[in-house]
Amino acid sequence: MAKPIIKAFFDEPTNTISYLVADPATKEAAVIDPVLDYDHNAGAVDTRSVKAILREAEAEGFRIRWVLETHAHADHLSGAPYIKAKTGALIGIGEHIKDVQRIFRPVFNAIDLATDGSDFDHLFKDGEHFQVGDLDVEVLHTPGHTPADVSYKIADAVFVGDTIFMPDYGTARADFPGGDAQRLYRSIRRLLALAPETRLFMCHDYKAPGRDEYAWETTVAEQKSKNVHVKEGVAESDFVRMRAKRDATLAAPRLLLPSIQVNIRAGKFPPKQSNSVRYLQIPVKMKDDAEFGL
Ligand SMILES: [Fe+2]
């Protein structure tokens, strides 16, 4: 099978890598994990990141058919609706997004939100195949970071979302609601059972200590021999213990609350309120109202 054309777009404010993946024969393309720029202090959105992807697609003559989310991200807002509006592309995500919607609907009192995944155009099942031009895409359910994570395998390239990071950085956290370190370990083992030369493309990079450059491409072989958290020989129980200890030290991502409530709606913002303004909500954690005179 032909190899896909892969172009990476790095968003430094959220350390996210988005991809434009195209079939060289038909020039049909997919965008994976696009970022909507968002200034949290100002509540302002900007489309420079998605526009850069669309410009590149146009320059290359690609027709974008799909916007593929690896999961409901907790660190950036999705740019999927903008790409859909400009190209007619379909937005796809793993079918277990329904579980994530069910978890977070009450958290944000998102009474407008259906929890059947219908905000998305397509929900992928584990093992499902679909085409981007002549390229075959296989969807692998790789839960653990969230219940809904999927990886997309296109020829010899796999877009792994938040399962593993570069070998010198390790793995994704598993402490979000519905996350599970044991499931993450098993998902990673599934990915690392692919052919050793399989190329793996990360969703995030933070530079590991001692590394000056961002990086996002590695291989199964390299992960198996070098990943600091899950190289071959690391037992599941040791990984789960390590992950729990490490996750206990991690702060909530800066854009956690805005990201979740937008991304579970397939990148749409909550409905306008009576003054025609859309608001993002912050659920305040407060144990005792009376103590605060409320
Ligand atoms: Fe994530």
Side-chain angles (χ1 to χ4, degrees), residues 71 73-75 145 162 204:
H71 62 296
H73 304 277
D75 46 29
H145 172 64
D162 289 7
H204 291 295

Side-chain angles (χ1 to χ4, degrees), residues 140-162:
L140 307 171
H141 181 215
T142 46
H145 172 64
T146 80
D149 281 60
V150 293
S151 302
Y152 296 99
K153 182 174 188 305
I154 308 177
D156 70 327
V158 184
F159 300 86
V160 299
D162 289 7

Side-chain angles (χ1 to χ4, degrees), residues 230-266:
V230 282
K231 64 184 170 203
E232 245 172 355
V234 176
E236 182 177 288
S237 55
D238 291 335
F239 174 79
V240 170
R241 208 172 305 121
M242 177 285 298
R243 208 50 270 175
K245 204 170 148 195
R246 184 173 160 89
D247 287 350
T249 69
L250 300 176
R254 189 172 57 89
L255 296 182
L256 172 76
L257 295 170
S259 298
I260 294 286
Q261 57 196 295
V262 167
N263 295 341
I264 58 173
R265 292 178 168 97

Side-chain angles (χ1 to χ4, degrees), residues 24-203:
T26 62
K27 300 216 164 183
E28 300 216 341
V31 176
I32 300 176
D33 292 331
V35 173
L36 181 71
D37 309 290
Y38 173 64
D39 176 347
H40 194 37
N41 294 344
V45 299
D46 193 274
T47 52
R48 61 183 178 275
S49 292
V50 274
K51 277 184 181 146
I53 297 174
L54 291 176
R55 262 200 313 275
E56 183 73 19
E58 196 180 328
E60 296 285 345
F62 297 158
R63 291 178 304 277
I64 298 170
R65 301 299 196 207
W66 284 97
V67 186
L68 303 174
E69 300 281 8
T70 54
H71 62 296
H73 304 277
D75 46 29
H76 66 270
L77 277 58
S78 169
Y82 186 84
I83 293 180
K84 177 178 173 171
K86 296 291 175 190
T87 65
L90 302 176
I91 303 175
I93 197 165
E95 63 173 337
H96 293 282
I97 187 65
K98 292 183 240 176
D99 303 339
V100 179
Q101 290 177 322
R102 273 193 288 269
I103 290 169
F104 285 105
R105 188 181 194 271
V107 173
F108 293 105
N109 194 28
I111 53 174
D112 61 296
L113 176 74
T115 54
D116 59 0
S118 56
D119 280 301
F120 296 84
D121 297 306
H122 190 81
L123 303 181
F124 293 113
K125 293 187 183 333
D126 182 41
E128 186 171 337
H129 288 254
F130 64 102
Q131 300 287 125
V132 174
D134 294 341
L135 296 171
D136 175 72
V137 184
E138 181 182 1
V139 182
L140 307 171
H141 181 215
T142 46
H145 172 64
T146 80
D149 281 60
V150 293
S151 302
Y152 296 99
K153 182 174 188 305
I154 308 177
D156 70 327
V158 184
F159 300 86
V160 299
D162 289 7
T163 51
I164 31 183
F165 294 138
M166 290 302 282
D168 55 3
Y169 198 86
T171 55
R173 65 195 298 176
D175 60 334
F176 294 143
D180 183 324
Q182 188 181 57
R183 292 185 90 192
L184 180 61
Y185 180 90
R186 292 173 186 183
S187 294
I188 292 169
R189 283 285 170 258
R190 184 180 180 196
L191 291 173
L192 299 189
L194 295 167
E197 65 277 12
T198 306
R199 295 182 292 163
L200 302 179
F201 291 87
M202 310 297 108
C203 179

